[in-house]
Amino acid sequence: MDSKKAKGIAADFATTGAEAVVETAADNLPLLASAIHDAGFQGAASILADGVVGAVAPGALGLVFGYRMRRTERNLIILIDKLSSNIEIVNERLDSLEAAVRDKYTNGSYRDAFLDSVVDENEPEKVSRNVNAFINCMAYGSAGDSFVLTLFDDLSRLNRLDIRVLQLHYYNPITGHMADDSFDRLIQEEGIDYSEYRTIREKLCRLGLLESKNEEKREKNLEAVQNAVSELLSQLGKRNPKIPKPPKLQRISTSDSYSITSLGRRYLELIRPVQETVSA
């Protein structure tokens, strides 16, 4: 049984009536697991494939809406294609990890967080990027639980347009790589106005992926005022108090500007195609 057969079995879910979902799923999920192995999954990647099918099986058995089945089927096919096309890299990276960390990717919390960001995803493009992030994370054995789990939680919150806006701010100081995009082209192609663009940037700022220059100025102004007040209080009660100079405050612009954070840059590095990944 080859990869085409694997896709065919997955596609059966989309054409099955709601009343026959449980029966069809029960009949085909074991075959899908077998088909994935026959499609070329070997070594550590085969353990990952087992874990993926095993994890989504309970959800597949409970699905009763056709559109959800078609979406899950589509996303699983993308996932299988991406893993199989990078099989050698997946095996190499999994094999290089300590056993406890490898288990998190194949049958544990990392796999579960990854699947949560993929199975019900509406945008196919995001599924591919999330699979890239999953594979690329394997290259960083030092990435802790907090980072990996937060990564996939954040990716599930970001839609395609959010990511495009984040990419518009991308700059890697090591490689000098910049985004091949522009504000005017983004506005025209996406059909949004500046207020919508500003809202997206504010969202990215809340997630810690962009930082506001105005917010940075406010924090510095607040620190300057606090220092001046502390200095003033320290002079109280002295025979010859020295009145501190008023703090120099930075002007807050009426139009805010944003720059990408190290976290935002790292996220973009991780969702790039596996072969194109650079040090995050």
Side-chain angles (χ1 to χ4, degrees):
M1 188 180 299
D2 56 18
S3 59
K4 292 184 179 179
K5 182 62 174 178
K7 295 177 184 179
I9 293 173
D12 287 342
F13 292 116
T15 56
T16 302
E19 69 279 0
V21 169
V22 173
E23 180 181 353
T24 302
D27 289 343
N28 286 289
L29 278 171
L31 295 177
L32 180 58
S34 176
I36 290 175
H37 284 295
D38 293 344
F41 287 91
Q42 299 176 354
S46 67
I47 301 175
L48 172 60
D50 266 342
V52 167
V53 175
V56 301
L61 291 172
L63 291 177
V64 294
F65 296 106
Y67 79 93
R68 292 193 64 187
M69 287 186 291
R70 288 190 293 272
R71 183 175 61 196
T72 298
E73 167 239 324
R74 178 202 66 197
N75 293 350
L76 287 177
I77 288 174
I78 295 173
L79 188 159
I80 292 169
D81 278 346
K82 293 288 290 184
L83 287 178
S84 62
S85 64
N86 292 284
I87 185 68
E88 294 182 359
I89 295 176
V90 171
N91 275 326
E92 179 182 349
R93 292 182 178 179
L94 286 175
D95 288 340
S96 68
L97 296 172
E98 296 181 0
V101 178
R102 181 168 60 248
D103 186 62
K104 293 178 182 180
Y105 280 103
T106 59
N107 197 37
S109 57
Y110 295 177
R111 180 209 63 185
D112 293 347
F114 162 61
L115 287 176
D116 285 342
S117 73
V118 166
V119 173
D120 288 327
E121 176 55 52
N122 288 314
E123 298 177 311
E125 182 179 345
K126 273 190 59 184
V127 175
S128 294
R129 286 174 170 170
N130 290 4
V131 177
N132 289 340
F134 187 61
I135 298 174
N136 288 330
C137 270
M138 298 174 188
Y140 304 98
S142 59
D145 292 356
S146 177
F147 175 79
V148 177
L149 299 180
T150 301
L151 166 66
F152 289 109
D153 183 56
D154 286 346
L155 289 179
S156 68
R157 299 169 187 267
L158 298 171
N159 59 38
R160 182 192 58 80
L161 182 54
D162 294 336
I163 295 174
R164 183 174 181 182
V165 171
L166 181 61
Q167 289 174 324
L168 191 62
H169 295 78
Y170 177 80
Y171 173 73
N172 188 304
I174 298 176
T175 65
H177 179 79
M178 299 180 66
D180 183 23
D181 203 353
S182 70
F183 169 77
D184 290 336
R185 187 167 70 183
L186 185 149
I187 292 294
Q188 181 178 7
E189 292 179 355
E190 300 293 348
I192 62 175
D193 56 29
Y194 184 76
S195 64
E196 293 173 287
Y197 177 74
R198 183 178 64 246
T199 299
I200 294 172
R201 293 204 297 181
E202 290 172 352
K203 172 184 177 181
L204 295 172
C205 192
R206 290 193 299 271
L207 290 173
L209 307 179
L210 291 181
E211 56 185 359
S212 162
K213 294 296 183 62
N214 276 351
E215 188 62 31
E216 182 180 352
K217 291 178 181 178
R218 291 190 187 97
E219 291 179 358
K220 290 182 178 180
N221 286 347
L222 178 59
E223 182 180 357
V225 171
Q226 289 174 333
N227 291 337
V229 171
S230 297
E231 179 63 23
L232 179 62
L233 292 176
S234 70
Q235 296 297 319
L236 296 179
K238 291 185 177 182
R239 297 183 62 179
N240 298 306
K242 296 180 179 180
I243 305 301
K245 295 181 179 180
K248 293 182 179 180
L249 303 180
Q250 299 187 43
R251 181 176 177 274
I252 304 298
S253 174
T254 55
S255 59
D256 204 353
S257 60
Y258 293 81
S259 60
I260 193 168
T261 64
S262 58
L263 180 63
R265 188 179 301 111
R266 190 175 187 187
Y267 277 15
L268 291 182
E269 297 286 5
L270 288 171
I271 65 175
R272 290 174 64 181
V274 176
Q275 290 81 1
E276 295 180 11
T277 301
V278 298
S279 176

